[in-house]
Amino acid sequence: MGTGYVGLITALGLADIGHKVTAADISDEKIEKLNNGIPVIYEEGLEEMLQKHLYQTKNINFRLMTTEIVSEYDVIFICVGTPQAYDGSSNLRYLDDAAKMIGQGLDENKYTVIVNKSTVPPKTHLRVKRNILTQNPKASFDVVSNPEFLKEGTAIHDFMNPDRIVIGCNTSQSSQIMNDIYQPMVEQGFKLYETDIISAELIKYAANVFLSTKITFINELSHLCEVTGADIDLVAQGIGLDPRIGEKFLKAGPGYGGSCFPKDTQALSYFAKQQGVVTNLIDAVISVNSSHVLSLIPKTRDFFENNWQGKSAKKHIAVLGLSFKAGTDDIRDAVSLRIIPALLDEGFEITAYDPAAMENAKKVMENINFADSLQEAVDGKDGVLILTEWPEFSQINWEEVAKTLKHKVIVDLRNIVDRKKIKKLDFSYYSIGKSSIQSIEDRKENK
Ligand code: UGA
């Protein structure tokens, strides 16, 4: 149930390991597109995989979700969205609707496993169970938890090559069925880790909040690097070589964004408070991430303005990257949504370019220009601000770009530009957690 990121990738992944899968959604439009082999989300490799299982293996089909179809299936995965509510808690409205629909459709003479894959607070399986039973008191079913750890941009790879498959079951019957489902992956050597349901539910939140903590730690340290002259990327590598720390998720940047980390840190904090548990560390992560993004606004403004001193600039800059990270068209909670409006308030004019997120950005971003290409974005501008680490931005030929820019100033909030090359080309360059480079020309003028 649900053909968003988690639902669609799970359905295709299960089809890929040999199961017959129906992916159902309440949106007619999505179902029609998917049945015609057209992906409804942007994800590397998705179209090929979709068409393979629609037309070659025929392991997948797409249907409109109704109560009538529920009883046809042995196992139902709930993969609906659990967005953030106004108070930071997890909004379980869609999950409730899904559980009620399942309850209405279940055949009481047939045992069914209801798998919750949506990200939910611990103990939510009890709520799912309650919702089903209120509709169908005699229904024969178990609810299990099977959280998902895929990342946007590498979702198919992550599903097919999991670090671990987590399942939480309270009965041997449901556990056996879940083990059978993932048996083809276990045979390939992937680890299936089985716990009770509440622990499985908490593992999902704990993983996302821990990763958010790593990112936030390195971002906080980046400020110390800037004032001392240390280099945050070298520091991150230096600590990451210790296997107890690990090198992943220590890339300094403009703060975490996206549809998961901001929402899940808030939701875990909210849930813990409801349970009477104090979460000082998690609360600090949320607040440090937010203040880190805010601190980059005056830094960006000042770096541009200081490096334009003595040279007239119209404050018209190119912004490269709008999505919350590379490899996705998703702009939910992207830093671009916080930094761009603040720069507009400071009198900047902005022309933005993103290889994938333009359509989504155009729906919500006002008062900026959108360029059709990287070249068009930078042409004639007073500087460049990099917000997303798209590979095409790391490969920019700055010698060529230098010829078209009015002022050679770069603010790189993803640390993807080659500092040595930039220095030789006399750019003024700011990146996170490093000493900035002031161009030779500027240094002369400042004397
Ligand atoms: C995240 C988790 O990584 C997945 O394991 C999880 O399944 C998913 O949430 C989810 O709950 O559905 P995702 O939100 O797609 O995946 O993106 P990440 O790659 O984790 O990046 C999140 C944010 O952290 C981005 O803004 C990214 O730019 C930032 N980040 C990541 C850093 O700033 N530094 C890093 O080293 C890594």
Side-chain angles (χ1 to χ4, degrees):
M1 289 179 81
T3 57
Y5 265 98
V6 172
L8 189 53
I9 305 293
T10 300
L12 285 168
L14 292 174
D16 208 61
I17 58 171
H19 297 296
K20 290 281 176 207
V21 184
T22 292
D25 201 288
I26 52 171
S27 158
D28 273 322
E29 200 191 323
K30 275 188 174 183
I31 294 302
E32 198 188 323
K33 276 192 177 163
L34 289 166
N35 269 327
N36 285 310
I38 304 164
V40 289
I41 52 170
Y42 175 91
E43 193 62 43
E44 179 92 31
L46 182 64
E47 192 166 357
E48 296 77 17
M49 198 177 190
L50 174 62
Q51 296 185 357
K52 175 180 162 193
H53 293 300
L54 263 178
Y55 308 128
Q56 289 170 31
T57 68
K58 298 190 169 45
N59 275 352
I60 200 157
N61 69 85
F62 298 92
R63 284 176 92 176
L64 196 64
M65 187 68 220
T66 61
T67 44
E68 286 72 35
I69 71 168
V70 168
S71 62
E72 292 176 35
Y73 301 97
D74 306 315
V75 183
I76 299 176
F77 285 77
I78 304 181
C79 306
V80 297
T82 50
Q84 191 171 336
Y86 69 94
D87 56 2
S89 65
S90 187
N91 179 346
L92 301 178
R93 205 180 81 204
Y94 303 116
L95 189 83
D96 290 343
D97 291 348
K100 284 177 192 158
M101 192 182 247
I102 291 171
Q104 286 158 14
L106 279 182
D107 175 351
E108 60 187 54
N109 299 311
K110 182 181 160 216
Y111 174 77
T112 311
V113 178
I114 313 301
V115 186
N116 186 32
K117 243 190 187 305
S118 301
T119 301
V120 293
K123 300 204 253 187
T124 300
H125 66 284
L126 297 172
R127 179 170 174 148
V128 173
K129 193 171 175 179
R130 206 168 46 242
N131 275 321
I132 294 175
L133 286 175
T134 50
Q135 304 296 321
N136 192 341
K138 289 190 188 157
S140 162
F141 68 99
D142 277 312
V143 180
V144 309
S145 169
N146 174 211
E148 188 46 65
F149 303 102
L150 54 82
K151 301 185 288 302
E152 288 185 22
T154 53
I156 294 174
H157 177 269
D158 294 344
F159 187 91
M160 301 311 298
N161 302 276
D163 305 311
R164 74 296 200 196
I165 300 157
V166 173
I167 55 172
C169 308
N170 277 0
T171 64
S172 54
Q173 194 175 5
S174 59
S175 161
Q176 187 58 57
I177 290 173
M178 292 308 290
N179 273 272
D180 288 349
I181 288 175
Y182 286 112
Q183 185 57 27
M185 294 180 100
V186 172
E187 279 166 13
Q188 286 177 57
F190 295 113
K191 185 169 175 54
L192 190 134
Y193 182 67
E194 190 164 352
T195 66
D196 61 275
I197 307 189
I198 301 181
S199 301
E201 289 171 328
L202 188 54
I203 285 169
K204 169 68 195 189
Y205 270 130
N208 275 1
V209 175
F210 189 80
L211 293 170
S212 307
T213 307
K214 277 187 96 173
I215 297 167
T216 305
F217 173 79
I218 209 71
N219 284 340
E220 184 162 84
L221 219 58
S222 72
H223 298 273
L224 199 56
C225 288
E226 283 176 27
V227 297
T228 57
D231 179 320
I232 194 63
D233 289 338
L234 299 180
V235 173
Q237 278 170 33
I239 61 172
L241 286 169
D242 182 336
R244 291 172 303 174
I245 296 172
E247 61 187 0
K248 292 186 178 154
F249 279 66
L250 281 180
K251 182 82 185 130
Y256 62 75
S259 66
C260 305
F261 287 178
K263 164 175 88 78
D264 294 349
T265 40
Q266 295 270 0
L268 188 58
S269 162
Y270 183 94
F271 174 76
K273 281 177 191 62
Q274 264 187 330
Q275 307 294 311
V277 173
V278 176
T279 54
N280 288 332
L281 179 61
I282 301 171
D283 297 349
V285 168
I286 296 166
S287 119
V288 173
N289 189 60
S290 183
S291 54
H292 177 66
V293 184
L294 289 179
S295 76
L296 295 173
I297 295 164
K299 276 188 186 173
T300 300
R301 177 200 62 205
D302 293 350
F303 193 77
F304 278 120
E305 289 184 349
N306 291 339
N307 285 287
W308 290 328
Q309 262 174 18
K311 297 177 268 173
S312 67
K314 287 187 175 154
K315 295 174 84 166
H316 188 173
I317 58 165
V319 169
L320 303 184
L322 300 169
S323 58
F324 81 93
K325 65 170 186 177
T328 177
D329 64 351
D330 198 340
I331 59 161
R332 284 177 287 177
D333 255 309
V335 291
S336 58
L337 294 172
R338 298 185 73 182
I339 292 183
I340 290 175
L343 291 177
L344 290 174
D345 284 348
E346 297 283 349
F348 280 68
E349 186 180 347
I350 287 173
T351 295
Y353 171 72
D354 187 289
M358 300 292 271
E359 224 175 282
N360 285 337
K362 282 178 186 169
K363 288 180 202 152
V364 293
M365 287 186 184
E366 288 171 348
N367 304 324
I368 65 169
N369 316 303
F370 291 98
D372 291 331
S373 65
L374 172 63
Q375 192 51 48
E376 187 190 326
V378 295
D379 195 19
K381 303 302 180 302
D382 297 312
V384 178
L385 167 62
I386 299 173
L387 292 184
T388 313
E389 73 287 17
W390 283 100
E392 97 173 69
F393 301 155
S394 335
Q395 289 151 18
I396 290 176
N397 180 341
W398 289 103
E399 201 169 348
E400 287 304 311
V401 171
K403 292 177 195 157
T404 68
L405 283 173
K406 280 206 187 115
H407 297 111
K408 292 193 287 181
V409 191
I410 304 171
V411 171
D412 173 11
L413 301 186
R414 293 288 184 169
N415 293 6
I416 54 169
V417 174
D418 185 329
R419 284 171 71 86
K420 282 187 197 142
K421 280 190 193 158
I422 282 298
K423 203 168 182 177
K424 276 194 202 139
L425 294 167
D426 294 341
F427 270 89
S428 299
Y429 175 70
Y430 170 84
S431 55
I432 304 263
K434 296 168 192 250
S435 46
S436 59
I437 299 172
Q438 306 271 319
S439 77
I440 296 165
E441 200 182 325
D442 286 331
R443 270 183 259 139
K444 276 187 210 148
E445 276 178 21
N446 289 342
K447 268 184 193 166

